[in-house]
Amino acid sequence: MGYWLAQAEDRLAEDWLKRFDPRFWTVNFPRPAMGSVVTAGADGLRVACVFYRRQDRVELTWESADGWDHPLLAYETVRDYRGLTLSLRWRASGDIASLNAAQGPTLSIVGRDAAGFPFTWSARLWNYASGSGSDARIRLDFDALPVWAGDVDRVSISIVPDGYAAGGGVLPAPAEGQVTLSEIWCEGGGATIGLGDAFVPPHGLRMATDYDGLCHLTPARVLQTILHLGYRDWISHSVGASHYFQLVHDAGLQRFLVADTGTQRLNGPARAWHADFYARAQALGFRVISGLSFALADAHAPEGWKQRDHAGAPALSGQALAPALISPCSGAGMAYLQAVALEFCALAAGAGV
Protein backbone atom coordinates (compact mmCIF):
# COMPACT_ATOMS: atom_id res chain seq x y z
CA MET A 1 0.00 0.00 0.00
CA GLY A 2 1.43 3.36 -0.98
CA TYR A 3 1.65 6.22 1.46
CA TRP A 4 2.87 9.78 1.73
CA LEU A 5 4.06 11.49 4.91
CA ALA A 6 3.34 15.18 4.38
CA GLN A 7 5.63 17.88 5.73
CA ALA A 8 4.94 21.53 6.52
CA GLU A 9 6.81 22.45 3.34
CA ASP A 10 4.14 20.62 1.30
CA ARG A 11 1.39 23.08 2.24
CA LEU A 12 -0.28 24.49 -0.85
CA ALA A 13 -2.94 26.56 0.90
CA GLU A 14 -2.81 28.85 3.93
CA ASP A 15 -5.32 30.80 5.93
CA TRP A 16 -4.75 33.31 8.73
CA LEU A 17 -5.15 33.02 12.47
CA LYS A 18 -5.26 35.53 15.30
CA ARG A 19 -2.72 34.59 17.96
CA PHE A 20 -4.30 33.23 21.14
CA ASP A 21 -7.27 31.83 19.19
CA PRO A 22 -9.35 29.85 21.76
CA ARG A 23 -9.24 26.64 19.70
CA PHE A 24 -5.49 26.25 20.04
CA TRP A 25 -4.85 26.56 23.78
CA THR A 26 -3.88 23.38 25.63
CA VAL A 27 -4.01 22.20 29.25
CA ASN A 28 -1.47 20.33 31.33
CA PHE A 29 -1.61 19.10 34.92
CA PRO A 30 0.26 16.93 37.41
CA ARG A 31 -1.59 13.76 38.28
CA PRO A 32 -3.95 13.16 39.99
CA ALA A 33 -5.34 16.62 39.13
CA MET A 34 -7.36 16.83 35.94
CA GLY A 35 -8.35 19.61 33.57
CA SER A 36 -9.92 20.09 30.16
CA VAL A 37 -10.48 23.03 27.83
CA VAL A 38 -13.34 23.62 25.40
CA THR A 39 -14.09 26.62 23.22
CA ALA A 40 -16.92 28.96 24.24
CA GLY A 41 -17.91 31.03 21.23
CA ALA A 42 -15.56 32.62 18.74
CA ASP A 43 -13.52 34.52 21.33
CA GLY A 44 -13.70 32.42 24.48
CA LEU A 45 -12.76 29.17 26.17
CA ARG A 46 -13.72 27.34 29.34
CA VAL A 47 -11.36 25.32 31.55
CA ALA A 48 -12.85 22.70 33.88
CA CYS A 49 -10.66 21.58 36.80
CA VAL A 50 -10.66 19.05 39.60
CA PHE A 51 -7.97 19.16 42.31
CA TYR A 52 -7.24 16.54 44.97
CA ARG A 53 -4.17 18.03 46.68
CA ARG A 54 -3.34 21.55 47.85
CA GLN A 55 -0.35 21.73 45.48
CA ASP A 56 -2.36 20.70 42.40
CA ARG A 57 -2.70 23.04 39.46
CA VAL A 58 -4.02 23.07 35.90
CA GLU A 59 -1.92 24.98 33.40
CA LEU A 60 -3.54 26.65 30.40
CA THR A 61 -0.95 27.25 27.68
CA TRP A 62 -0.48 28.97 24.34
CA GLU A 63 2.51 27.44 22.53
CA SER A 64 4.50 29.39 19.96
CA ALA A 65 5.14 26.23 17.94
CA ASP A 66 2.22 23.97 17.03
CA GLY A 67 3.36 20.53 18.12
CA TRP A 68 -0.04 18.82 17.89
CA ASP A 69 -1.69 19.45 14.52
CA HIS A 70 -1.04 17.74 11.20
CA PRO A 71 1.79 19.47 9.27
CA LEU A 72 -0.66 20.58 6.58
CA LEU A 73 -2.92 22.22 9.19
CA ALA A 74 -0.60 23.54 11.90
CA TYR A 75 -0.26 27.23 12.63
CA GLU A 76 2.91 29.16 11.86
CA THR A 77 5.72 29.12 14.42
CA VAL A 78 6.30 32.69 15.62
CA ARG A 79 8.25 33.26 18.82
CA ASP A 80 8.45 37.04 18.67
CA TYR A 81 5.80 38.66 20.91
CA ARG A 82 7.20 42.18 20.81
CA GLY A 83 4.59 44.79 19.99
CA LEU A 84 1.71 42.50 21.03
CA THR A 85 -1.05 43.15 23.56
CA LEU A 86 -3.35 40.38 24.81
CA SER A 87 -6.60 41.29 26.54
CA LEU A 88 -9.29 39.02 27.97
CA ARG A 89 -11.96 38.71 30.63
CA TRP A 90 -11.44 36.21 33.48
CA ARG A 91 -14.41 34.67 35.29
CA ALA A 92 -14.02 31.86 37.80
CA SER A 93 -16.53 29.75 39.73
CA GLY A 94 -16.35 26.87 42.18
CA ASP A 95 -13.20 26.06 44.15
CA ILE A 96 -10.80 28.19 42.10
CA ALA A 97 -8.34 30.41 43.97
CA SER A 98 -9.10 34.11 43.73
CA LEU A 99 -6.93 36.18 41.43
CA ASN A 100 -5.98 38.43 44.35
CA ALA A 101 -5.10 35.57 46.71
CA ALA A 102 -1.53 35.54 48.00
CA GLN A 103 -0.94 32.29 46.12
CA GLY A 104 -3.50 32.69 43.38
CA PRO A 105 -3.28 32.03 39.63
CA THR A 106 0.03 32.91 37.99
CA LEU A 107 1.29 33.99 34.60
CA SER A 108 4.42 32.27 33.26
CA ILE A 109 6.53 32.90 30.18
CA VAL A 110 9.22 30.50 28.99
CA GLY A 111 11.76 31.48 26.37
CA ARG A 112 15.21 32.96 25.82
CA ASP A 113 16.57 36.43 26.56
CA ALA A 114 18.17 38.76 24.01
CA ALA A 115 21.49 36.97 24.51
CA GLY A 116 19.95 33.55 23.86
CA PHE A 117 19.97 32.30 27.47
CA PRO A 118 16.87 30.31 28.57
CA PHE A 119 14.56 31.84 31.16
CA THR A 120 11.31 31.04 32.96
CA TRP A 121 9.50 34.03 34.43
CA SER A 122 6.39 33.91 36.64
CA ALA A 123 4.23 36.54 38.35
CA ARG A 124 0.80 36.87 39.94
CA LEU A 125 -1.81 37.23 37.23
CA TRP A 126 -3.51 39.76 39.53
CA ASN A 127 -0.69 42.21 38.74
CA TYR A 128 -2.21 42.63 35.28
CA ALA A 129 -5.90 42.52 36.23
CA SER A 130 -8.59 45.05 37.07
CA GLY A 131 -11.84 44.00 38.74
CA SER A 132 -12.55 41.39 41.41
CA GLY A 133 -10.81 38.15 42.26
CA SER A 134 -13.40 36.13 40.35
CA ASP A 135 -14.36 38.55 37.55
CA ALA A 136 -11.65 40.73 36.06
CA ARG A 137 -10.24 42.09 32.85
CA ILE A 138 -6.63 41.24 32.13
CA ARG A 139 -4.31 43.11 29.80
CA LEU A 140 -0.81 41.92 28.92
CA ASP A 141 1.44 44.34 27.06
CA PHE A 142 4.40 42.14 26.16
CA ASP A 143 6.67 45.14 25.65
CA ALA A 144 5.95 46.29 29.23
CA LEU A 145 6.66 42.94 30.91
CA PRO A 146 10.00 42.59 32.76
CA VAL A 147 11.24 39.99 30.26
CA TRP A 148 12.46 40.12 26.68
CA ALA A 149 9.54 39.00 24.48
CA GLY A 150 11.51 38.41 21.29
CA ASP A 151 12.01 34.64 21.69
CA VAL A 152 9.13 33.02 23.60
CA ASP A 153 8.30 29.32 23.61
CA ARG A 154 5.04 29.46 25.56
CA VAL A 155 2.75 31.63 27.67
CA SER A 156 0.90 29.87 30.50
CA ILE A 157 -1.70 30.60 33.15
CA SER A 158 -1.65 28.32 36.20
CA ILE A 159 -5.09 27.74 37.74
CA VAL A 160 -4.96 26.54 41.35
CA PRO A 161 -7.50 25.50 44.00
CA ASP A 162 -8.76 27.73 46.74
CA GLY A 163 -6.31 27.22 49.62
CA TYR A 164 -3.41 26.34 47.32
CA ALA A 165 -0.21 25.55 49.21
CA ALA A 166 3.05 24.50 47.58
CA GLY A 167 3.83 22.29 50.59
CA GLY A 168 0.93 20.09 49.62
CA GLY A 169 -1.40 17.81 51.49
CA VAL A 170 -4.59 16.05 50.47
CA LEU A 171 -7.69 18.23 50.28
CA PRO A 172 -10.61 17.20 52.54
CA ALA A 173 -12.71 16.66 49.39
CA PRO A 174 -12.07 17.05 45.66
CA ALA A 175 -12.11 20.73 44.68
CA GLU A 176 -13.89 21.43 41.40
CA GLY A 177 -14.32 24.64 39.48
CA GLN A 178 -14.07 26.30 36.13
CA VAL A 179 -12.50 29.36 34.57
CA THR A 180 -14.00 31.08 31.55
CA LEU A 181 -11.80 33.34 29.44
CA SER A 182 -13.87 35.49 27.09
CA GLU A 183 -13.33 38.48 24.83
CA ILE A 184 -9.85 37.13 24.01
CA TRP A 185 -8.21 39.65 21.73
CA CYS A 186 -4.66 40.11 20.45
CA GLU A 187 -3.51 43.25 18.67
CA GLY A 188 -0.29 44.79 17.45
CA GLY A 189 2.28 43.92 14.83
CA GLY A 190 2.40 40.18 14.27
CA ALA A 191 -1.01 39.52 15.86
CA THR A 192 -1.99 37.50 12.79
CA ILE A 193 -0.05 34.37 11.81
CA GLY A 194 -0.36 31.73 9.10
CA LEU A 195 -2.55 28.64 9.44
CA GLY A 196 -2.46 25.55 7.23
CA ASP A 197 -5.64 25.23 5.17
CA ALA A 198 -5.37 21.83 3.49
CA PHE A 199 -8.64 20.10 2.72
CA VAL A 200 -8.35 16.46 1.72
CA PRO A 201 -11.32 15.20 -0.34
CA PRO A 202 -13.58 12.77 1.58
CA HIS A 203 -12.34 9.18 1.41
CA GLY A 204 -13.30 5.72 2.63
CA LEU A 205 -11.08 5.52 5.70
CA ARG A 206 -12.58 6.18 9.14
CA MET A 207 -11.07 7.88 12.19
CA ALA A 208 -10.22 6.38 15.59
CA THR A 209 -9.60 8.71 18.55
CA ASP A 210 -8.50 8.24 22.15
CA TYR A 211 -9.34 10.57 25.05
CA ASP A 212 -6.14 9.76 26.96
CA GLY A 213 -4.12 11.12 24.04
CA LEU A 214 -6.37 14.08 23.22
CA CYS A 215 -7.59 15.31 26.61
CA HIS A 216 -5.23 18.31 26.56
CA LEU A 217 -6.67 19.67 23.29
CA THR A 218 -10.00 21.34 22.55
CA PRO A 219 -12.61 19.14 20.84
CA ALA A 220 -13.01 21.92 18.24
CA ARG A 221 -9.36 21.51 17.27
CA VAL A 222 -9.56 17.72 17.16
CA LEU A 223 -12.66 17.63 14.98
CA GLN A 224 -11.41 20.36 12.67
CA THR A 225 -8.34 18.21 11.96
CA ILE A 226 -10.45 15.10 11.36
CA LEU A 227 -12.73 16.93 8.93
CA HIS A 228 -9.94 18.65 6.99
CA LEU A 229 -8.08 15.36 6.54
CA GLY A 230 -11.03 13.85 4.69
CA TYR A 231 -12.54 11.61 7.38
CA ARG A 232 -16.32 11.32 7.43
CA ASP A 233 -19.30 9.38 8.81
CA TRP A 234 -17.92 7.36 11.76
CA ILE A 235 -15.53 8.05 14.63
CA SER A 236 -14.47 5.16 16.85
CA HIS A 237 -13.66 6.92 20.12
CA SER A 238 -11.92 5.26 23.06
CA VAL A 239 -12.73 7.00 26.34
CA GLY A 240 -9.34 5.82 27.62
CA ALA A 241 -8.27 4.23 30.87
CA SER A 242 -6.56 6.95 32.88
CA HIS A 243 -8.24 10.36 32.64
CA TYR A 244 -12.04 10.03 32.79
CA PHE A 245 -12.65 8.91 36.38
CA GLN A 246 -13.36 10.75 39.59
CA LEU A 247 -11.02 9.83 42.49
CA VAL A 248 -11.29 9.51 46.24
CA HIS A 249 -8.37 9.38 48.68
CA ASP A 250 -7.95 6.19 50.74
CA ALA A 251 -6.16 7.34 53.88
CA GLY A 252 -5.29 3.79 54.91
CA LEU A 253 -3.68 2.87 51.60
CA GLN A 254 -2.38 6.41 50.98
CA ARG A 255 -3.68 6.15 47.43
CA PHE A 256 -6.25 7.81 45.22
CA LEU A 257 -8.76 5.21 44.04
CA VAL A 258 -11.57 5.53 41.52
CA ALA A 259 -14.75 6.79 43.17
CA ASP A 260 -17.39 4.06 43.06
CA THR A 261 -20.23 5.75 44.92
CA GLY A 262 -22.67 8.52 44.17
CA THR A 263 -24.30 9.36 40.87
CA GLN A 264 -21.22 10.27 38.83
CA ARG A 265 -18.11 8.19 38.14
CA LEU A 266 -16.76 10.68 35.59
CA ASN A 267 -14.84 13.74 36.72
CA GLY A 268 -16.03 17.21 35.73
CA PRO A 269 -13.32 17.92 33.11
CA ALA A 270 -14.00 14.62 31.31
CA ARG A 271 -17.75 15.30 31.30
CA ALA A 272 -17.26 18.82 29.92
CA TRP A 273 -14.85 17.64 27.21
CA HIS A 274 -17.02 14.75 26.04
CA ALA A 275 -20.25 16.77 26.04
CA ASP A 276 -18.56 19.27 23.73
CA PHE A 277 -16.92 16.55 21.61
CA TYR A 278 -20.20 14.70 21.05
CA ALA A 279 -22.12 17.89 20.25
CA ARG A 280 -19.55 19.08 17.71
CA ALA A 281 -19.29 15.64 16.13
CA GLN A 282 -23.07 15.54 15.71
CA ALA A 283 -23.09 19.02 14.15
CA LEU A 284 -20.49 17.87 11.58
CA GLY A 285 -22.47 14.75 10.68
CA PHE A 286 -20.33 12.17 12.49
CA ARG A 287 -21.68 9.13 14.30
CA VAL A 288 -19.54 8.25 17.32
CA ILE A 289 -18.87 4.77 18.71
CA SER A 290 -17.67 5.18 22.31
CA GLY A 291 -15.36 2.38 23.40
CA LEU A 292 -14.70 1.44 27.02
CA SER A 293 -12.08 -1.22 27.77
CA PHE A 294 -11.58 -3.49 30.79
CA ALA A 295 -8.41 -1.52 31.56
CA LEU A 296 -8.02 1.02 34.35
CA ALA A 297 -4.95 2.98 35.42
CA ASP A 298 -3.16 0.65 37.82
CA ALA A 299 -2.35 3.39 40.33
CA HIS A 300 -6.07 4.04 40.87
CA ALA A 301 -7.62 0.59 40.45
CA PRO A 302 -8.87 -1.22 43.60
CA GLU A 303 -6.78 -4.32 44.25
CA GLY A 304 -9.83 -6.58 44.48
CA TRP A 305 -10.88 -5.76 40.93
CA LYS A 306 -7.65 -6.74 39.19
CA GLN A 307 -7.18 -9.79 37.02
CA ARG A 308 -4.19 -11.83 38.28
CA ASP A 309 -1.97 -14.64 37.14
CA HIS A 310 -1.38 -17.95 38.96
CA ALA A 311 1.21 -16.29 41.21
CA GLY A 312 -1.10 -13.43 42.18
CA ALA A 313 0.65 -10.75 40.11
CA PRO A 314 -1.79 -8.28 38.51
CA ALA A 315 -2.27 -8.39 34.75
CA LEU A 316 -1.06 -5.17 33.11
CA SER A 317 -1.68 -3.98 29.57
CA GLY A 318 1.85 -2.63 29.06
CA GLN A 319 0.57 0.73 27.81
CA ALA A 320 1.42 4.17 29.22
CA LEU A 321 0.55 4.54 32.93
CA ALA A 322 0.44 0.71 33.05
CA PRO A 323 -3.34 0.15 33.05
CA ALA A 324 -4.46 -2.85 35.08
CA LEU A 325 -6.93 -5.26 33.54
CA ILE A 326 -10.21 -5.54 35.45
CA SER A 327 -11.30 -9.12 35.98
CA PRO A 328 -14.65 -10.05 34.41
CA CYS A 329 -15.13 -12.17 37.54
CA SER A 330 -15.17 -9.06 39.75
CA GLY A 331 -18.79 -8.08 40.29
CA ALA A 332 -17.82 -4.71 41.73
CA GLY A 333 -15.43 -4.01 38.86
CA MET A 334 -18.01 -4.92 36.23
CA ALA A 335 -20.69 -2.82 37.94
CA TYR A 336 -18.31 0.15 37.94
CA LEU A 337 -17.57 -0.17 34.22
CA GLN A 338 -21.28 -0.52 33.47
CA ALA A 339 -22.00 2.69 35.39
CA VAL A 340 -19.21 4.47 33.50
CA ALA A 341 -20.57 3.23 30.16
CA LEU A 342 -24.05 4.50 31.02
CA GLU A 343 -22.68 7.95 31.85
CA PHE A 344 -20.85 8.21 28.55
CA CYS A 345 -23.90 6.97 26.64
CA ALA A 346 -26.06 9.57 28.41
CA LEU A 347 -23.65 12.34 27.37
CA ALA A 348 -23.70 11.08 23.77
CA ALA A 349 -27.48 10.79 23.72
CA GLY A 350 -27.79 14.28 25.13
CA ALA A 351 -25.82 15.56 22.13
CA GLY A 352 -27.91 13.61 19.64
CA VAL A 353 -25.34 10.99 18.73
Side-chain angles (χ1 to χ4, degrees):
M1 176 179 178
Y3 63 90
W4 172 51
L5 298 179
Q7 304 296 318
E9 296 76 18
D10 298 318
R11 285 159 46 154
L12 299 178
E14 241 188 23
D15 199 352
W16 300 98
L17 173 77
K18 272 284 190 181
R19 281 209 252 189
F20 302 105
D21 184 299
R23 292 170 296 172
F24 297 97
W25 290 75
T26 63
V27 289
N28 198 5
F29 38 84
R31 304 303 302 274
M34 179 64 195
S36 69
V37 56
V38 302
T39 49
D43 64 351
L45 59 85
R46 187 165 49 252
V47 183
C49 308
V50 59
F51 309 101
Y52 300 99
R53 304 171 302 175
R54 297 190 188 280
Q55 73 267 37
D56 283 346
R57 68 185 186 278
V58 171
E59 198 165 86
L60 177 67
T61 299
W62 174 269
E63 298 177 87
S64 299
D66 186 344
W68 305 108
D69 287 310
H70 190 280
L72 298 180
L73 300 173
Y75 57 78
E76 179 186 5
T77 297
V78 181
R79 292 187 167 87
D80 191 349
Y81 288 60
R82 290 173 295 177
L84 292 183
T85 300
L86 169 65
S87 59
L88 55 88
R89 183 180 180 185
W90 166 288
R91 284 175 290 174
S93 61
D95 301 317
I96 303 296
S98 173
L99 279 173
N100 57 7
Q103 297 197 59
T106 59
L107 168 70
S108 297
I109 297 178
V110 176
R112 281 154 297 280
D113 64 20
F117 293 102
F119 72 81
T120 299
W121 171 82
S122 297
R124 295 174 73 200
L125 191 58
W126 179 246
N127 294 350
Y128 306 95
S130 60
S132 71
S134 60
D135 188 346
R137 294 190 179 276
I138 295 168
R139 185 175 184 275
L140 300 175
D141 180 347
F142 286 91
D143 286 346
L145 297 178
V147 292
W148 193 63
D151 192 1
V152 172
D153 288 332
R154 62 184 183 270
V155 178
S156 299
I157 296 173
S158 289
I159 304 167
V160 296
D162 194 18
Y164 173 84
V170 177
L171 290 164
E176 297 196 47
Q178 69 176 30
V179 172
T180 300
L181 303 186
S182 60
E183 302 171 49
I184 298 172
W185 185 249
C186 180
E187 55 187 345
T192 301
I193 59 177
L195 175 69
D197 193 30
F199 203 93
V200 177
H203 48 70
L205 297 179
R206 300 295 178 252
M207 174 55 66
T209 54
D210 172 53
Y211 181 55
D212 285 344
L214 298 173
C215 63
H216 61 300
L217 305 175
T218 65
R221 184 177 188 174
V222 171
L223 286 161
Q224 175 181 285
T225 297
I226 292 172
L227 189 73
H228 278 245
L229 294 180
Y231 296 93
R232 297 293 187 275
D233 299 332
W234 290 93
I235 297 175
S236 179
H237 176 69
S238 166
V239 301
S242 58
H243 289 88
Y244 68 76
F245 38 70
Q246 184 67 288
L247 297 171
V248 63
H249 187 253
D250 187 308
L253 296 175
Q254 289 297 298
R255 289 175 60 200
F256 287 96
L257 301 177
V258 294
D260 193 25
T261 58
T263 58
Q264 292 186 355
R265 271 65 173 177
L266 309 187
N267 60 54
R271 294 184 68 85
W273 194 95
H274 279 89
D276 192 67
F277 177 76
Y278 290 137
R280 292 180 183 278
Q282 193 277 338
L284 292 173
F286 287 103
R287 300 176 71 181
V288 182
I289 304 169
S290 297
L292 175 66
S293 75
F294 280 34
L296 200 61
D298 184 56
H300 306 303
E303 293 298 319
W305 295 5
K306 297 178 183 180
Q307 190 170 10
R308 298 180 182 275
D309 64 17
H310 69 283
L316 301 175
S317 70
Q319 296 173 312
L321 295 178
L325 300 180
I326 304 305
S327 171
C329 299
S330 169
M334 293 299 100
Y336 173 81
L337 292 179
Q338 290 162 16
V340 167
L342 287 172
E343 287 191 42
F344 277 114
C345 287
L347 288 172
V353 295

